[in-house]
Amino acid sequence: MRSIPLLLPLVALSLVYGAALVPRDTTSSSSAADPIPTVPYASTTSNSVLWGPDSPDSVPNPYRGKTGASILGPDNIPIDLENPDLLAPPSTDNGDVANSKWPFSMSHMRLQTGGWARQQNVEMFPIATSMAGVDMRLEPGAIRELHWHSTAEWAYVLKGTTQVTSVDQDGRNFIATVRPGDLWYFPPGIPHSLQATNESAEGSEFLLVFPDGAFSDDGTFLLTDWLAHVPAEVIRKNFGITNPEAFSRIPNKQLYIFPSTPPADDADDVSDPQGTIPQPFFFPFSQMAPTQLEGGSVKIADSTVFDVAKKIAVAEVEVEAGGMREMHWHPTQDEWTFVLEGEARITVFAANSNARTFNFQAGDIGFIPASYGHYVENTGNGTLKYLEVFNSDRFQDVSLNQWLALTPPALVQAHLGLDDETISLLKKVKPTVVGPLPGSK
């Protein structure tokens, strides 16, 4: 009878930890310890997205289950509709994670005759310390003037076609026409130009990424800007030109973007006694066949296929409705994410119980620091298509599913309490993109 009081504390603890706790059998010859929970089990309550940007007649409020209350004061409902997991966070969110989303729609537009540009850097998106982005539009024939940067320039063409030209440090030239879904890359300090062709009546639009979060396109080295700030006699001496009027029409300030005549299809390339650049600054990414996966597809362009791209790598990912880019992380590379179409949500895990969920629509930028665990879930009704851009010459990721599948089962069971059947379903080959669960909508 004296043993009964000793069991009462154990029964009470079982109510807290959700599992029966029993005294350990110290007489057993087995070396394995009985499974005794040391912390409560994680909740299995659903934390699905509660609404979307197109939810009809929806007035969102910060409720999740039995927690929360309505908003009584002023509120920006359109923003709430686009960010359901900020207004009503999943119960699994915890602690503090820096804002990991920036809509390009919030960036200031620089309007020019012939086009426009808008940028994102650490000034408006502090977490993005290693990469910055520029969205640029050129009307047919418009030129992004001859220029160079102190950092590399990587580009993905969104719409239309763009003619790019360049000359490297050895005097070798390069010219190419880059089409939607294709890439270009210019190493640091290499001068180049960008000009929209007239293949489309709309001209072109392209996404630029620079491997420096503090980069500003306003700090570009521009041809006209430099010459406008050099004495005229020095310019003539440099080029060996005696005619005092030869350089009299140099603009007195930078042109940046300006209208011009579209490049002619039959124009001859400039002959170069040094030859042309041996490693092309252009890659036909649109022609690469994607790897088909259970829940979508992926294709990757890094220095293994695009030799010159030493500072930027990219994965173009498509996720079918109901699918997701699996839970993973990138060992040493930050990820700069850009949504091309569809809707998504990403939970960023920053260690030490810090996790936060963000929602994305087309035109939004995400940033995930190296080693932060995350997934990308398609929360829309159509295909999600987005770019994963990395400040590296190689694409690398670690799959949670594969890691567990290739770890001794007893270790995984000791951590997660999985049964043998569940262990057997883990994937030893990276799923990368998974489809919806059977029977789910």
Side-chain angles (χ1 to χ4, degrees):
M1 295 295 293
R2 294 182 63 186
S3 65
I4 294 177
L6 294 175
L7 290 173
L8 290 178
L10 294 172
V11 173
L13 283 173
S14 73
L15 297 176
V16 175
Y17 289 103
L21 300 180
V22 296
R24 209 168 258 163
D25 181 3
T26 57
T27 64
S28 171
S29 60
S30 172
S31 60
D34 294 332
I36 298 180
T38 56
V39 297
Y41 293 137
S43 171
T44 58
T45 301
S46 174
N47 275 289
S48 59
V49 176
L50 298 180
W51 60 81
D54 299 321
S55 296
D57 302 321
S58 179
V59 178
N61 272 298
Y63 289 105
R64 176 72 72 168
K66 297 181 179 179
T67 61
S70 62
I71 295 174
L72 300 180
D75 188 33
N76 192 322
I77 292 177
I79 290 181
D80 290 342
L81 287 170
E82 292 184 353
N83 299 279
D85 289 309
L86 288 182
L87 191 66
S91 61
T92 45
D93 278 12
N94 189 72
D96 185 36
V97 175
N99 176 48
S100 298
K101 171 184 175 179
W102 179 260
F104 249 141
S105 296
M106 296 290 290
S107 292
H108 174 78
M109 277 284 192
R110 177 173 179 173
L111 304 180
Q112 300 280 143
T113 303
W116 52 255
R118 54 185 175 181
Q119 67 180 354
Q120 161 273 312
N121 57 27
V122 290
E123 288 188 7
M124 64 281 292
F125 198 22
I127 192 175
T129 56
S130 60
M131 284 173 278
V134 173
D135 181 17
M136 187 170 290
R137 165 89 155 82
L138 300 176
E139 293 182 333
I143 297 172
R144 171 66 165 100
E145 76 162 286
L146 289 157
H147 65 283
W148 72 96
H149 308 286
S150 59
T151 185
E153 174 184 306
W154 176 95
Y156 178 96
V157 179
L158 298 170
K159 297 285 186 180
T161 58
T162 308
Q163 184 185 87
V164 299
T165 71
S166 183
V167 175
D168 74 1
Q169 64 270 30
D170 295 317
R172 297 171 297 189
N173 64 4
F174 174 81
I175 185 169
T177 299
V178 191
R179 293 180 165 79
D182 290 342
L183 313 176
W184 72 70
Y185 180 95
F186 295 114
I190 297 300
H192 54 281
S193 68
L194 317 171
Q195 183 175 19
T197 72
N198 60 358
E199 288 188 20
S200 166
E202 297 177 339
S204 68
E205 184 176 347
F206 41 85
L207 181 70
L208 304 172
V209 178
F210 302 86
D212 178 1
F215 172 87
S216 173
D217 205 40
D218 297 331
T220 299
F221 296 94
L222 301 171
L223 172 64
T224 57
D225 193 27
W226 188 16
L227 295 186
H229 295 87
V230 175
E233 67 275 13
V234 173
I235 296 175
R236 293 197 303 274
K237 182 185 293 186
N238 181 80
F239 292 104
I241 304 296
T242 58
N243 181 1
E245 299 300 317
F247 294 96
S248 63
R249 301 185 67 182
I250 292 175
N252 69 354
K253 63 179 181 179
Q254 61 177 254
L255 295 176
Y256 187 71
I257 291 172
F258 61 98
S260 185
T261 303
D265 294 336
D266 57 353
D268 293 332
D269 294 342
V270 177
S271 63
D272 189 335
Q274 289 78 222
T276 58
I277 291 172
Q279 292 184 323
F281 293 149
F282 151 75
F283 182 71
F285 196 35
S286 64
Q287 299 175 28
M288 175 184 281
T291 300
Q292 298 299 323
L293 303 163
E294 173 195 326
S297 66
V298 64
K299 57 182 182 179
I300 296 167
D302 59 15
S303 62
T304 62
V305 294
F306 189 14
D307 294 344
V308 74
K310 303 300 185 185
K311 297 290 186 180
I312 298 284
V314 65
E316 183 184 277
V317 184
E318 291 194 10
V319 184
E320 298 171 358
M324 63 180 275
R325 171 77 163 94
E326 66 166 326
M327 297 173 71
H328 67 285
W329 67 93
H330 307 283
T332 59
Q333 305 91 356
D334 296 333
E335 176 182 331
W336 190 93
T337 308
F338 184 75
V339 179
L340 296 166
E341 60 182 76
E343 300 172 24
R345 76 166 174 174
I346 301 174
T347 295
V348 178
F349 170 63
N352 199 31
S353 300
N354 293 302
R356 187 159 296 177
T357 304
F358 302 90
N359 306 95
F360 295 84
Q361 293 81 39
D364 289 346
I365 300 165
F367 190 88
I368 303 162
S371 289
Y372 279 31
H374 59 285
Y375 62 86
V376 183
E377 182 183 16
N378 184 346
T379 55
N381 297 320
T383 299
L384 167 67
K385 183 178 181 180
Y386 72 97
L387 302 176
E388 298 179 3
V389 183
F390 304 95
N391 59 330
S392 170
D393 68 329
R394 297 290 182 93
F395 170 87
Q396 297 177 348
D397 70 344
V398 178
S399 160
L400 173 62
N401 200 330
Q402 184 184 52
W403 177 37
L404 297 182
L406 298 175
T407 298
L411 271 175
V412 179
Q413 289 173 323
H415 284 78
L416 304 178
L418 306 182
D419 59 28
D420 291 341
E421 180 183 2
T422 303
I423 290 285
S424 71
L425 296 174
L426 299 177
K427 304 292 174 41
K428 293 184 178 180
V429 176
K430 290 179 184 179
T432 306
V433 181
V434 299
L437 288 173
S440 63
K441 295 182 179 180

